[in-house]
Amino acid sequence: MITELIPMILSLAKIEAEILDLPPKRTNNALETGQLDFDIVSPSWFVKQDLGPLFVKSTPIIKIIEYVVTLPENVIQYNDINQIKGKHIGTVRGYLYHDDKDFIRADFTSEQELVKALDKHRVDAIIAGNYPVLYWSTQLGIPVALAAVHSDGDLVFRLRKEHVNLLPAINQAIATLKANGKIDEIVKKYTQTLAS
């Protein structure tokens, strides 16, 4: 979903960019060193929602809720966020989790692999965003249950501070795509896939 939105936002903002699909850890390193100029994140993934001194953020693009996700028969064991403490929890390698000191990370390469890991009982619970986990659950035919909310926020552009001059154009593009319904249209396209 976000891979469709980024080019639309950049095009409307008249910003030329090469969009790279890097693993999360490489993305974070490249941003820190200035090899990348931006990525898409939710401040809710960061400790105290702090993106750090090197970055500025755009206005919100879409709302994203991250859940503790498990198989339907185990949902009662994870209805409270404190139930993940000290347990092995499936995570995506390189992703940021504001509280990963509270649980033991079991890293996998993607949300798709997290859903497969649940199905194969490699972990009892994972942390994943509502849209990607439900998409992969549907695609793989593996039923999952959304338990406790892990983080609740909005996706934004995290832009290196030296490019702060681009923020007004990015924010205007986001506002335009919200106003003309394009963002809702793309979200619906993915959520309708989930409902069918």
Side-chain angles (χ1 to χ4, degrees), residues 28 30 37 62 83 89 97 106-107 111 151 181 186:
N28 288 326
D37 297 321
I62 60 171
Q83 291 170 300
I89 302 296
Y97 299 89
D107 280 349
E111 286 90 348
S151 66
I186 290 171

Side-chain angles (χ1 to χ4, degrees), residues 132-145:
V133 80
L134 293 173
Y135 175 82
W136 285 113
S137 169
T138 301
Q139 293 300 308
L140 298 168
I142 299 169
V144 298

Side-chain angles (χ1 to χ4, degrees), residues 148-168:
V149 171
H150 180 258
S151 66
D152 185 350
D154 298 295
L155 290 180
V156 298
F157 272 79
R158 174 173 61 155
L159 192 66
R160 286 189 56 88
K161 262 191 179 168
E162 59 263 30
H163 302 297
V164 69
N165 61 312
L166 299 176
L167 264 187

Side-chain angles (χ1 to χ4, degrees), residues 3-18:
T3 54
E4 280 190 59
L5 285 170
I6 294 170
M8 290 173 94
I9 293 167
L10 293 174
S11 173
L12 204 53
K14 296 182 174 34
I15 297 170
E16 287 188 33
E18 180 182 359

